[in-house]
Amino acid sequence: MRKIAALVLAAGSSRRLGTPKQLLDWGGRPMLNVVVDRVKAWPVDSVWVVLGAHADEILDACQFEDVNVVINEDYEEGLASSLRVGIDALIRSGNVDGVFIALGDQPFIELEVVEAIIDRFEESTSKALVPKYRYTVGNPVLVEKSLWPRLMSLEGDLGAQKLLKAHPEWVEEVWVEKLPPRDVDTPADVEELAPRSTH
């Protein structure tokens, strides 16, 4: 079995929302804590989370037991800087063959999707596996170690999806009969998607 890590990118400053989305009340807990706990249930060998904006507040509010936390001091540069910091930490840890890239504002990624991608990863010769939902590709993306230097060369707010769209020869799409997971970016998203607190 190849070793797989999960990297949750959660360093953004939540400009569109106007308040740290990582700390949104998500059924009585910070949203990022809910996302990370769900990722911990994935069949991966380790879980990493990249923080940046509001890192101290998030660390005070969340419980990241058995999770590796990395701080991206350059988070204002955009998503690419978080990828660099996270992957650099994975390389230093050694002994990982692939990484799932997940976003801290997507609390609805289903375990079934992750398992389908991992099943293909064991047999596929592709460098990246991407879930193909009913009408679009989405997250989480699983990227083989050989592509990590290319991910680390991205700049600005570019993420892995942009690089993979430019190189379809690297990618295998894994079809899933589900709608893509929603991002939580705006007050309207929160109003529509957030579970109500039970406290």
Side-chain angles (χ1 to χ4, degrees), residues 36 70 74 86 122 132 135 141 159 184:
V36 169
V70 185
D74 299 320
E122 290 300 325
K132 173 82 174 190
Y135 54 84
V141 174
V184 179

Coordinates of all heavy atoms in Angstrom, one line a residue, residues 36 70 74 86 122 132 135 141 159 184:
V36 N -11.5 19.1 9.7 CA -10.3 18.3 10.0 C -10.7 17.0 10.6 O -10.2 15.9 10.3 CB -9.4 19.1 10.9 CG1 -8.3 18.2 11.5 CG2 -8.8 20.3 10.2
V70 N 0.9 23.2 10.3 CA 2.0 24.0 9.7 C 1.5 25.4 9.5 O 0.3 25.7 9.2 CB 2.4 23.4 8.3 CG1 3.6 24.2 7.7 CG2 2.6 22.0 8.4
D74 N 3.3 33.5 4.8 CA 3.1 34.2 3.6 C 1.7 34.0 3.0 O 1.5 34.1 1.8 CB 4.1 33.8 2.6 CG 5.5 34.1 3.1 OD1 5.7 35.2 3.7 OD2 6.4 33.3 2.8
G86 N 2.9 23.4 2.9 CA 2.4 22.1 3.3 C 3.2 21.0 2.7 O 3.5 20.0 3.3
E122 N -4.1 3.0 -6.1 CA -3.3 1.8 -5.9 C -2.9 1.2 -7.3 O -1.9 0.5 -7.4 CB -4.0 0.8 -5.0 CG -4.1 1.2 -3.6 CD -2.7 1.4 -3.0 OE1 -1.8 0.7 -3.3 OE2 -2.6 2.4 -2.1
K132 N -14.5 13.3 -10.5 CA -15.3 14.0 -11.6 C -16.8 13.8 -11.1 O -17.3 12.7 -11.1 CB -15.1 13.3 -12.9 CG -16.1 13.7 -14.0 CD -15.7 15.0 -14.6 CE -16.6 15.3 -15.8 NZ -16.1 16.4 -16.6
Y135 N -21.1 17.0 -13.2 CA -20.8 17.9 -14.3 C -19.5 18.6 -14.2 O -19.3 19.5 -15.1 CB -22.0 18.9 -14.5 CG -22.3 19.6 -13.2 CD1 -21.6 20.8 -12.9 CD2 -23.3 19.2 -12.3 CE1 -21.9 21.5 -11.7 CE2 -23.6 19.9 -11.2 CZ -22.9 21.0 -10.9 OH -23.1 21.7 -9.7
V141 N -8.3 16.5 -4.5 CA -7.4 15.9 -5.6 C -6.3 15.1 -4.9 O -5.8 15.5 -3.8 CB -6.7 17.1 -6.3 CG1 -5.7 16.6 -7.3 CG2 -7.8 17.9 -7.1
G159 N -4.1 27.1 -7.5 CA -4.1 25.8 -6.7 C -3.7 24.7 -7.7 O -3.5 24.8 -8.9
V184 N -17.7 27.3 1.4 CA -18.3 28.3 2.3 C -17.5 29.5 2.2 O -16.5 29.7 2.8 CB -18.4 27.8 3.7 CG1 -19.1 28.8 4.6 CG2 -19.1 26.5 3.8

